[in-house]
Amino acid sequence: MQTSRARLRRPLLLAAGAGATVAALAAGTVTSAFAATVFSDTFSDGDAAGWSKSGGTWAVADGAFSQSSTASELARQFAGQTSWTDYQVQARVRPTGFGSSSALVGLAARASSSTKMYRLALLGSGRAELQAVNGSQITSLGSATVGAATGTWYTLRIEASGSTIRGYVNGTQIGGGSNSLVGAGRIGLVTAYAAGSFDDVSVDSSVSTPTTPPTSTPPGSATPTPTGTTPPPASWPTPTASVKVDATIPVSGTFDGGMRRYYGIGDGGQSESQDPMFELAAGATLRNVIIGAPAGDGVHCEGDCTLLNVWWEDVGEDAATFRGGTTYTVDGGGARSASDKVFQHNGPGTVHIRNFRVESSGKLYRACGNCSTSYQRHVVMDNVTATGTKVLAGINTNWGDTARFSRITILNDPNRSTRICVKYQGVPKGSEPKEIGAGADGVNCLYSASDITYR
C-alpha cells in the first residue's frame, strides 16, 4: 500500500491554570506503535490539502471538515490512492442537518469512482447502514438503529479485507458480509441531502481475518472486534518529553500527546478522592500519551470516549474510569503496577479493550459492583497480552453483565493461575460485592480454550 501524507493534530494546549512545565518538545509526526497507519488528517492545520471535491459546499473550520448544504444531492470528498485494497478507514462523523429521512452522512472505502464504493451511512431515519454502492443500485450489508442525532459525534469505521466488508459505529459492528463489488479504491467523506462534519480521519493497512461470532449473544453484548494481527509491543515506549501537571486537563475533541509523559497529580495511592489527570468530554479522544506517576485517578471518561496508544507506567488508583456514555474504546497501549484494577466501569454500555498489554496488576477490568446506580455492563477484550495479572475481568452476573474474550495471551504463568473471568453478586452502594464463581459459562463469561494462549 502506498503511503499518503499524514497530518496529525497538534497537541492541545493545557487548560489555563494547569501549571504545566514542559521539559522538551519532540518534532515531527508521531505514529502509533500498534497500527500501520498510512493516512491521517485531523484538519487542525486549517486546510483540506490532499482531498478532492465532488459536489457540495465544503470548508475547514473549528478543526473539522464540514459540508453545509442540505440541498446537495450528493457531496463527496476523496483522498488516498486508487490502488488501496485491504485496509480500515475510521473517522468521527457528526450530522448537522438532514433534509429528509433518506438523507445521509457517511464514510466511504474502496471508492473506485465517484459513484462506486462501500459506504457506511448515518441516515436521517436514525439508522446506520453499511452499503455497497454502484450508482443508483445500493445493496445493504447490514444496518442497526443508532439514533444518528444531529449535533452528535459518531465514530465510523469500515474494514475491507478481500471480499469481506464490515462496518462499525462507536466500536459496535452494525453490518458486514461478503461482497465483490469493488476490490480497491480511495477513502471518502459523503453526504446526500444532509449537512455534516468530519474529523480524525485515519487509514490503517492492518486488517484481521474476521472471527465467527458465538451462536448465542446475550442482550446488550457485542461481538469482539479484532483490529490487529500481532500482539501489543513487548517493550514500553520511551517518552519524547515530560510534562508536570498540577491540575486536571479537560479534553474535548482530540488530544494528541506526541508520546510525552504526563505526571504530577495525586500521591500515587489508592484514594478515590484524587483528581484525574485527564477528564474527557463525551466523544473525546486521547492518543499517544504516556501517563507517569503520580497520576491521581488517571483518566475519566464522562461519555463515549476513545483511548488510542495510551500507556500507564504506574497505575495509582485506576488507569481509567468510564463514567457516562455507552461505548468506550481502548485501542493499543498498556498499563502496569495496578495493585487493584486498571479499568473501572461505572457507567452503562460496553468497554472495548484491544491490542493492549497489562503487567503486574490485580484486575484489568472491573464492572462496578456497588455504585450508586446499577447498570448492565459489558466488556469485549481482543488481542490482549497479560503478565503477572490476577484477573482479566470481574463482572456482576445478577445485573446481566457479560465479558467476551478473543486472542488472549498469558505470559509466564506455568500454573495458569491467572483467572480470565470472575463473577460477582452486585450490591447496593455501601456494601461489598461477593464473589460467586469464575470461568467460562456461555452466558456471562464468553470464551473457549482456543481463545486463551499460555506462553
Side-chain angles (χ1 to χ4, degrees), residues 163-413:
S163 62
T164 300
I165 312 299
R166 291 170 287 176
Y168 301 84
V169 176
N170 291 339
T172 299
Q173 184 171 337
I174 62 94
S178 180
N179 188 278
S180 303
L181 173 65
V182 59
R186 298 181 294 170
I187 63 171
L189 312 176
V190 185
T191 69
Y193 295 114
S197 298
F198 304 84
D199 201 358
D200 299 329
V201 183
S202 64
V203 179
D204 179 0
S205 63
S206 298
V207 180
S208 67
T209 301
T211 59
T212 302
T215 55
S216 176
T217 303
S221 63
T223 302
T225 310
T227 58
T229 57
T230 60
S235 60
W236 287 67
T238 300
T240 58
S242 291
V243 179
K244 174 65 167 62
V245 178
D246 298 320
T248 298
I249 302 172
V251 178
S252 58
T254 296
F255 184 105
D256 191 324
M259 298 310 294
R260 297 172 181 83
R261 174 193 287 127
Y262 293 81
Y263 72 98
I265 287 184
D267 57 10
Q270 294 297 305
S271 172
E272 295 187 358
S273 62
Q274 299 179 86
D275 292 331
M277 174 72 73
F278 293 94
E279 185 174 78
L280 274 59
T285 296
L286 182 69
R287 65 190 304 163
N288 299 324
V289 166
I290 299 173
I291 297 179
D297 203 27
V299 177
H300 283 186
C301 286
E302 301 303 322
D304 291 357
C305 69
T306 303
L307 308 179
L308 299 176
N309 199 31
V310 177
W311 298 81
W312 289 263
E313 293 183 325
D314 188 345
V315 176
E317 163 53 15
D318 296 320
T321 303
F322 305 106
R323 297 155 58 90
T326 58
T327 304
Y328 324 88
T329 300
V330 179
D331 198 341
R336 61 189 176 196
S337 302
S339 59
D340 186 8
K341 55 196 174 300
V342 176
F343 297 123
Q344 172 77 18
H345 190 181
N346 291 353
T350 302
V351 174
H352 298 265
I353 305 170
R354 53 181 178 249
N355 310 319
F356 194 80
R357 174 173 294 275
V358 58
E359 298 178 4
S360 305
S361 296
K363 299 179 183 71
L364 174 55
Y365 166 91
R366 179 67 169 103
C368 185
N370 58 358
C371 283
S372 56
T373 303
S374 302
Y375 297 106
Q376 185 181 88
R377 303 177 176 96
H378 310 281
V379 62
V380 180
M381 295 189 191
D382 175 69
N383 200 26
V384 170
T385 297
T387 305
T389 298
K390 297 176 182 178
V391 175
L392 291 190
I395 61 174
N396 311 295
T397 56
N398 59 313
W399 293 336
D401 294 356
T402 64
R404 292 177 175 271
F405 305 85
S406 60
R407 299 189 299 167
I408 305 299
T409 302
I410 310 296
L411 301 178
N412 306 320
D413 187 6

